[in-house]
Amino acid sequence: MTATVNATTSKAPTGTDIGLAIVRVSVGGLLAVHGSQKLFGWFNGYGLDATAGAFAHMGYDPGKFFATLAGLSEVVGGLLLALGLLTPLAAAIVLGTMINAVNVARSGGFAMWELPAVYALVAVAFAFAGPGRLSLDAGRPWQRQGLAWSAGAIALGVVAALVTLAVK
């Protein structure tokens, strides 16, 4: 008698698990780098004071508050996404931040807003797909997945973006 291994119950990572991990770590890491550029000037960034001036120029007043909010959102959302930790919350944070980035960049033409749009779409995809088995959420009691959690994460991200746009 030959034993067969079911890919869905096996403990070994699948190609899907590896693919999700690669996208999560890559996109989450890049977002964290963007945030650290805003907050600390790392990776050839401008730092908080210059970023605050740019945010004020874009109509986000007070600039320092909104620059800090954007930087923290990118760092925290990016790191949570990269780790696959609290994934619905990470997706909401990234989506809300990127909706604001698309709004700011849209007047500059497609080349200016395509990257934040891609980040937003990746966040939506992770809200639906979950982080995969190679994540800190996998198999934990706090892991949340499914259509209700996906819809909730997306709604939270959109509402947070709209509130930010309304009060800026």
Side-chain angles (χ1 to χ4, degrees):
M1 187 189 245
T2 318
T4 59
V5 176
N6 183 341
T8 59
T9 59
S10 172
K11 296 288 184 191
T14 66
T16 301
D17 295 321
I18 294 168
L20 287 172
I22 290 169
V23 175
R24 260 191 317 93
V25 170
S26 301
V27 170
L30 289 169
L31 283 167
V33 166
H34 278 279
S36 67
Q37 288 178 312
K38 288 176 177 67
L39 294 174
F40 312 116
W42 296 350
F43 306 102
N44 296 316
Y46 295 114
L48 188 56
D49 289 335
T51 302
F55 269 65
H57 180 68
M58 291 183 286
Y60 286 84
D61 188 34
K64 193 158 201 160
F65 171 78
F66 284 106
T68 303
L69 180 63
L72 285 174
S73 294
E74 289 177 354
V75 169
V76 171
L79 290 176
L80 288 175
L81 188 63
L83 294 170
L85 180 62
L86 306 174
T87 304
L89 178 61
I93 293 169
V94 170
L95 178 60
T97 307
M98 292 302 110
I99 288 171
N100 273 270
V102 167
N103 182 65
V104 166
R106 65 187 166 85
S107 65
F110 179 72
M112 296 304 294
W113 61 264
E114 69 178 300
L115 184 59
V118 169
Y119 286 151
L121 292 170
V122 168
V124 169
F126 277 106
F128 282 106
R133 290 190 297 162
L134 299 176
S135 67
L136 293 180
D137 277 348
R140 303 292 193 265
W142 64 77
Q143 181 181 8
R144 300 292 180 256
Q145 215 169 319
L147 287 178
W149 282 98
S150 304
I154 292 166
L156 178 61
V158 169
V159 167
L162 294 176
V163 167
T164 302
L165 288 169
V167 299
K168 76 176 186 114

